[in-house]
Amino acid sequence: MAVAMAQLGKRGGTRALALGLLAPGAGYIYTRSPLRFLATMGGFAVSLAAWFASGNIVLPPLLWVMTAWNARRQAVRGRKTWNGARTAIPATLLGVVTAGTIARRRAFRAAQDRGRARAQYLSNVPRLDPQPSDAVRQELSPDDLATLRSLLDRALQPLDRFDGFSKVDQFQTSAIRYQLNFMQWALASAQLHYTPSFHGYLSAAQRNLIDKLTVPRIWRYWAFEQTWGNLSLDWDPMKRDNIMLSGYLGTMLGVYESNTGDDRYRRSGAMPFRLGKRTWPYTHDMVCAAVHDNMQRSSMTLFPCEPNWIYSACNMTGINTLLLSDRLHGTRFRESVGEEFQRRLHDEFITPDGRVTAIRSARLGITIPMLTSTMADCGLASMLHAFDPELAQRCWSIVRREFIDTSGPEPAIALRGWDAIDTGNYRKTHLGAFAPVMWAAAEMGDTELYELLSDSLERQQLPTESAGTRWFDALSTNMNAMLALARFNPPGGHRALIAVGPGKAVLDGPILHGVSYPEVLVASTHTDGADLHLTLYPGDGPARVQIGVDRLVPHRGYRLRGALEDELTADDHGRLHIPIDLAGRTEMSLTPAL
């Protein structure tokens, strides 16, 4: 219709408006305003970036229509026009569309060729089934503890304090919420695999990270995105879309409850999300139900982060939230949506060359190819492992074979799109891709590659060690948190965090609880349900300390080894307070007296 209006219209204003509707700023070519045309193209590019980054669906069409109308006004007011634009603009657009179609078809055929080649070598890749029991280490090393302290120091701040966090924006990957997510997952992984019978400050830090997500500055972004992306003033943070909050939070809640047996977040009003006078009180069960309901409503089952944009990796946190709910609470979410989720993932998000696309528009179906990158593949492999281990292995096998080269003096990671930046602060660096690749290598049991990358990272960027902490200053907080997650992730460790959790002996047996931080650092705790074995380090130099053990049999005697007393009796509540000297690595054990 716009082409017909441009060709048949008798008035200059009508022609300018029609040409302006054909392409952003095209009306200015007709009115001989090249600077306005260039400014419109630049502004439209910015509006598209805003649409991608924050779901602002209003800005691109608004800018387009306003510039078309402004070109009409210029023509109506008598500005000289170029009549040739009536033919040149449609012809140029036709040429662009034709060239784009040809390029897409060629790219599609090339992708199919890559897919066939990949399918051939993938058919010969041995089936992987990494297990945490394959890990050599059974306790946290001094470097592990220094890394852990860096997370704890940030996590244990008051809820409204965020010292040591990267602060750039709250809409995209540098947002503080992702730093909270990955910190808590790292702490939960360390807890499950190395200190399963220790709660104390380690559990308190995880609760603090969960509670920080309810602070308005962390989730206020959704009020903007819901308003300009879904054209709604219903700012409920999880009712519609926003899996980048609900899915990640649901996984945090699930792994915390799984590790500790603490169900406090299932109680009414456990997580109040407040903006001004409005409050949305959520519980763990409500978060899980919101994720499930969004999946049921979505035509692709996978549902959006920002309004319109569906990220495959974010949806892995959503399905993991549901897996945890089924295991912990007896829900049947996987039975309800799991099969359709997997079908849609394979049908809608697998590219012709066999990779998983990172992003797709829920409204238009389009993708952004540059975001399907090495980092995206690796993060997806790690987070997908519990739900679809075969697809997770395929993602990792492609990365390992095609995008990582270990033949040179330093291992090289193929960088594409956003691989070349640290997504936690948007700074350009080739080191930003190390963290997700190391996490995937650890999860998939490629310990050799993990060690190669870890050693290479420390040669290229020496970590800062200060006051008992260890931190890569050149990397963002989010990448440091992901590096910690990789460090604490034994083979198949994230899958176990989601799908298995601790055994009954851990959940019912004695726990180390009353410990002062950073005076006492806990490197390992293990129980068979009756006894307790600990490895401790002093955090502030040699000291005589007192530790508390809970969940013992009231009034029962316990023999101690490595403490200042040989035997103590649990109090009425099944607790013991044990004095111990810490001068270095210290082992202590507690066993029931006969």
Side-chain angles (χ1 to χ4, degrees):
M1 180 180 291
V3 173
M5 288 173 60
Q7 296 299 324
L8 302 177
K10 301 300 184 182
R11 298 180 179 180
T14 301
R15 295 170 181 173
L17 176 63
L19 293 172
L21 293 175
L22 279 177
Y28 291 133
I29 297 176
Y30 177 70
T31 61
R32 300 190 182 191
S33 304
L35 294 181
R36 292 196 181 198
F37 169 71
L38 294 175
T40 300
M41 294 300 290
F44 191 69
V46 170
S47 74
L48 291 178
W51 177 39
F52 161 71
S54 64
N56 191 331
I57 198 172
V58 175
L59 196 55
L62 181 63
L63 179 65
W64 193 331
V65 171
M66 286 179 62
T67 54
W69 189 257
N70 186 255
R72 174 192 174 278
R73 289 180 62 192
Q74 283 188 324
V76 168
R77 291 177 178 179
R79 188 176 181 90
K80 291 183 178 179
T81 58
W82 176 44
N83 209 39
R86 298 164 63 193
T87 303
I89 292 172
T92 300
L93 290 175
L94 179 62
V96 169
V97 170
T98 302
T101 301
I102 293 171
R104 283 196 300 273
R105 288 180 178 176
R106 288 177 177 173
F108 181 77
R109 287 194 294 269
Q112 286 182 312
D113 291 340
R114 290 195 302 274
R116 283 188 285 268
R118 284 171 178 162
Q120 186 172 1
Y121 76 69
L122 287 170
S123 65
N124 297 316
V125 172
R127 177 73 173 86
L128 297 175
D129 187 24
Q131 298 290 337
S133 58
D134 299 335
V136 175
R137 296 187 302 125
Q138 297 299 317
E139 69 177 64
L140 298 170
S141 68
D143 280 350
D144 293 335
L145 291 171
T147 300
L148 194 69
R149 287 185 67 172
S150 297
L151 303 183
L152 291 169
D153 288 349
R154 289 163 172 78
L156 290 169
Q157 297 179 79
L159 291 186
D160 60 348
R161 289 275 299 278
F162 294 90
D163 298 343
F165 286 77
S166 300
K167 304 177 185 75
V168 183
D169 76 282
Q170 301 309 318
F171 290 95
Q172 274 298 313
T173 55
S174 73
I176 292 175
R177 63 181 177 275
Y178 295 120
Q179 300 167 49
L180 300 172
N181 301 149
F182 281 97
M183 280 188 187
Q184 193 268 338
W185 294 355
L187 296 180
S189 189
Q191 186 173 47
L192 175 64
H193 300 300
Y194 296 99
T195 63
S197 297
F198 170 47
H199 290 192
Y201 60 74
L202 184 54
S203 293
Q206 293 178 64
R207 292 194 298 272
N208 235 31
L209 292 169
I210 290 169
D211 294 341
K212 281 177 177 287
L213 278 170
T214 68
V215 174
R217 67 177 290 189
I218 303 304
W219 74 275
R220 188 185 290 118
Y221 72 90
W222 186 245
F224 297 100
E225 296 203 14
Q226 179 77 328
T227 300
W228 63 44
N230 285 327
L231 306 181
S232 170
L233 295 179
D234 183 353
W235 296 341
D236 185 316
M238 281 167 263
K239 183 178 178 181
R240 177 183 181 184
D241 299 341
N242 202 17
I243 197 172
M244 57 187 171
L245 178 64
S246 60
Y248 285 86
L249 172 58
T251 301
M252 294 171 77
L253 294 167
V255 298
Y256 171 76
E257 184 179 332
S258 173
N259 280 357
T260 64
D262 181 357
D263 66 353
R264 70 180 63 203
Y265 290 105
R266 301 188 72 186
R267 301 169 194 167
S268 178
M271 291 175 291
F273 288 82
R274 296 188 178 94
L275 275 183
K277 296 181 180 180
R278 303 168 70 181
T279 302
W280 294 267
Y282 267 87
T283 66
H284 186 178
D285 298 84
M286 292 170 66
V287 173
C288 297
V291 170
H292 173 257
D293 292 348
N294 271 279
M295 286 185 179
Q296 280 197 316
R297 287 196 302 267
S298 172
S299 61
M300 294 189 190
T301 307
L302 288 76
F303 69 94
C305 291
E306 289 90 12
N308 173 64
W309 294 112
I310 299 175
Y311 287 82
S312 53
C314 289
N315 273 269
M316 296 312 107
T317 70
I319 200 66
N320 286 340
T321 291
L322 302 188
L323 294 180
L324 283 158
S325 177
D326 286 356
R327 178 164 68 82
L328 296 171
H329 306 152
T331 52
R332 303 173 71 175
F333 290 139
R334 179 166 189 161
E335 181 180 318
S336 172
V337 299
E339 184 177 340
E340 188 64 12
F341 183 96
Q342 188 171 39
R343 186 182 74 81
R344 289 289 186 174
L345 177 62
H346 285 254
D347 289 353
E348 304 287 352
F349 288 84
I350 303 295
T351 61
D353 60 3
R355 298 172 73 186
V356 179
T357 189
I359 186 173
R360 188 170 295 283
S361 168
R363 291 169 178 150
L364 301 178
I366 62 174
T367 185
I368 304 176
M370 68 176 293
L371 298 187
T372 300
S373 63
T374 304
M375 282 201 301
D377 288 343
C378 288
L380 187 70
S382 300
M383 290 190 281
L384 181 61
H385 200 197
F387 175 73
D388 192 340
E390 291 187 4
L391 183 54
Q393 179 181 342
R394 186 168 81 186
C395 292
W396 172 246
S397 297
I398 292 171
V399 168
R400 185 67 178 90
R401 180 184 176 100
E402 298 184 33
F403 305 135
I404 300 173
D405 181 6
T406 58
S407 62
E410 299 287 355
I413 301 171
L415 304 180
R416 179 187 179 191
W418 61 358
D419 289 335
I421 65 170
D422 180 334
T423 54
N425 57 23
Y426 312 130
R427 294 176 185 170
K428 186 174 181 180
T429 173
H430 70 285
L431 299 178
F434 272 60
V437 176
M438 287 169 64
W439 183 27
E443 175 66 18
M444 292 300 162
D446 196 337
T447 306
E448 181 181 0
L449 177 61
Y450 172 85
E451 296 293 346
L452 279 173
L453 291 170
S454 178
D455 293 344
S456 177
L457 176 61
E458 295 198 15
R459 284 193 295 270
Q460 297 182 66
Q461 177 58 57
L462 193 67
T464 298
E465 298 184 2
S466 174
T469 65
R470 196 170 189 272
W471 195 257
F472 290 91
D473 290 333
L475 296 176
S476 66
T477 300
N478 197 37
M479 285 304 170
N480 272 279
M482 196 180 298
L483 286 170
L485 176 56
R487 176 181 280 271
F488 304 143
N489 197 124
H494 195 70
R495 178 177 61 180
L497 193 65
I498 303 300
V500 182
K504 188 175 187 302
V506 171
L507 292 174
D508 294 342
I511 57 169
L512 177 64
H513 185 72
V515 178
S516 176
Y517 175 80
E519 190 176 33
V520 180
L521 303 179
V522 183
S524 72
T525 63
H526 299 285
T527 184
D528 63 2
D531 59 11
L532 183 64
H533 300 273
L534 314 175
T535 305
L536 309 175
Y537 283 81
D540 287 331
R544 175 166 293 182
V545 302
Q546 184 168 268
I547 63 174
V549 177
D550 289 5
R551 287 208 311 230
L552 299 171
V553 179
H555 309 299
R556 184 167 190 175
Y558 287 85
R559 291 194 299 270
L560 306 174
R561 183 175 62 83
L564 294 178
E565 302 285 348
D566 294 329
E567 187 168 331
L568 289 172
T569 300
D571 66 15
D572 294 346
H573 303 286
R575 297 172 181 163
L576 274 181
H577 301 283
I578 305 170
I580 184 172
D581 281 337
L582 291 181
R585 181 182 180 275
T586 302
E587 292 187 33
M588 198 212 84
S589 64
L590 172 154
T591 57
L594 296 177

